[in-house]
Amino acid sequence: MKLDITRGIQKKGVEVAFDLLEPWGEDHWNGDTIAYVRPVSFSGTYMLADETVIVRGTASARIESPCARCLKPALTDVTAELDEAFIRDKGEEREPGDDQYMYSGHVLELDEAVRTALLLELPSRILCKEDCRGLCPQCGQDLNINECSCQKDLTHRNPFSALASLLNEDEEV
């Protein structure tokens, strides 16, 4: 996403509104590949103050990723607030760990800032539905579609099931 700040240069100290819409492809997040299924939108304002541009706005996207339980495609709408300062790049060497956003000329590259804000707003586990039952750990059957015989048998094959008999609700442990 590129933001042309030419109008703001002429009006230093005044907030200038913008609306951006750009299609994005795929990204990697939390060990999965996610896809942006509709263009990412970012709208807000920017203001120039000397060599710094303050960008404030709201980014939104619809993301498709595998469900954390059953691996079917799951859609998630995500919205993120962004409030960042972009410093003019004067060609000086940057120190390691310096995480300020830089710009040169009259165009800000917003991709990294918007992507970071959106990914930070994603839930830690994306599910196709809240009550997704997932896959059987033994045979791989999708438990949302059919039960499997593994689940009925599982308590007998669990090596720790004998410990359950040691617990009695009436006794202290």
Side-chain angles (χ1 to χ4, degrees), residues 46-158:
Y46 70 91
M47 178 178 66
L48 267 79
D50 293 327
E51 301 290 312
T52 303
V53 180
I54 307 296
V55 178
R56 293 183 178 106
T58 304
S60 63
R62 174 167 278 181
I63 293 174
E64 180 181 80
S65 81
C67 173
R69 293 182 186 156
C70 71
L71 302 179
K72 287 184 181 175
L75 293 175
T76 303
D77 290 319
V78 62
T79 302
E81 296 295 322
L82 191 79
D83 188 354
E84 292 292 343
F86 288 77
I87 312 289
R88 180 177 296 280
D89 187 2
K90 297 178 184 175
E92 298 171 357
E93 197 169 314
R94 296 174 66 184
E95 293 180 26
D98 185 5
D99 59 354
Q100 291 183 324
Y101 294 108
M102 307 295 280
Y103 77 96
S104 59
H106 299 277
V107 177
L108 300 181
E109 292 285 341
L110 300 174
D111 285 355
E112 184 180 346
V114 172
R115 178 175 284 116
T116 300
L118 287 171
L119 293 178
L120 286 173
E121 291 298 320
L122 282 175
S124 58
R125 293 176 38 152
I126 295 176
L127 302 176
C128 61
K129 57 186 180 179
E130 282 300 315
D131 62 344
C132 177
R133 296 179 58 210
L135 303 175
C136 171
Q138 299 296 314
C139 68
Q141 171 68 38
D142 186 345
L143 299 174
N144 295 311
I145 299 171
N146 290 323
E147 290 290 325
C148 66
S149 60
C150 301
Q151 292 299 310
K152 295 173 188 165
D153 229 19
L154 201 54
T155 56
H156 301 305
R157 293 190 315 204
N158 184 348

